[in-house]
Amino acid sequence: MTTLTDHPFRPPLANCPSLKTWFGGLQLLSALLMSTGFGGIILLLCEQEVAVGGLSLSVTLASLFCVGMALEQWRHWWVGTLARRGWEQLLTGRLDAAIRSFDVAVSGGRAEQRGWSHYGLTLAWLRKGDYARALALCEAAPHPWGKMTASVRGARGPALKALILALSGEPDAARRQVAELRRPMFDRTDYALLAQAVMFCREGKYVEAVKRIQQSPRENVPEMDVGAVAVLHAFARGRLAGQLVPLKSGCVMPEKPARASGHEYLAREWPELAAWFRGEGVRA
């Protein structure tokens, strides 16, 4: 039986080939201008003047270098704008648009932009319910999410991969991934909460799931995970079958309504949660 950990999928090339081609051509042009103009800067530094047709060759070449630099900065500005737009689209549920924005930013941005965009692209595919593609992106991330902040390299990336594995029914692999999580010093964020809540719920350990969720104050839950954690909190409490676990003040409370749209991706391979979303079974 093929599982996600040995799935043959690899991320596709371009979701937006024309825009990626445009940025690629612009990058090539700016590199050509800068490399050509660099000779003019050398001539200026060496105070060697060469005139061609009444024009100073060194000044002309140095101008080309400046034009190339300006084009490169303009390209980075556009890529950064696309990356920010991708996060806005992701947060508002426009997943296809977010994927198109992130796909361009991943291929054309600076190292940090590529890392954050790769992370956002993985989240977007997860929220579309495509676990195989999201996991493939996790495994394809160069140098653990690129040159990123410590939270993404050591905590956010492993936590996201653990969540994908837990949702797809691979708890052992998810636990190993959680064990690799390294939270930055002085960071109180509970990155592993959502993945561990999924694991407890899928194993039928609903009391443990509720207690685990209530263990972390609301302010320590990653903002991107709050809605999903609240849904699992409500789901687990609804499955307690009369067992009482008092609500702890300051924790992530169940959403009202708990079956709010936008979290159906959690139930892609989870029949019990899918039935709960439809209003079947024990209610919270």
Side-chain angles (χ1 to χ4, degrees), residues 72-85:
E72 185 67 1
Q73 291 303 314
W74 183 80
R75 185 182 70 85
H76 282 303
W77 178 81
W78 260 114
V79 171
T81 300
L82 277 173
R84 290 191 296 274
R85 184 181 300 167

Side-chain angles (χ1 to χ4, degrees), residues 15 83 85-103 106 116-135 137-138 145 160 163-164 224 262 265-266 268:
N15 284 312
R85 184 181 300 167
W87 282 104
E88 293 170 0
Q89 291 162 338
L90 177 61
L91 291 170
T92 54
R94 294 174 289 164
L95 300 178
D96 290 329
I99 288 170
R100 290 193 294 270
S101 298
F102 284 136
D103 191 60
V106 164
W116 272 110
S117 298
H118 194 106
Y119 180 67
L121 184 63
T122 308
L123 275 173
W125 280 114
L126 170 62
R127 293 193 173 193
K128 279 182 70 70
D130 195 333
Y131 298 164
R133 196 182 299 258
L135 184 64
L137 284 166
C138 282
W145 307 93
L160 180 55
L163 172 62
I164 297 168
M224 295 293 293
Y265 69 93
L266 295 170
R268 174 71 181 270

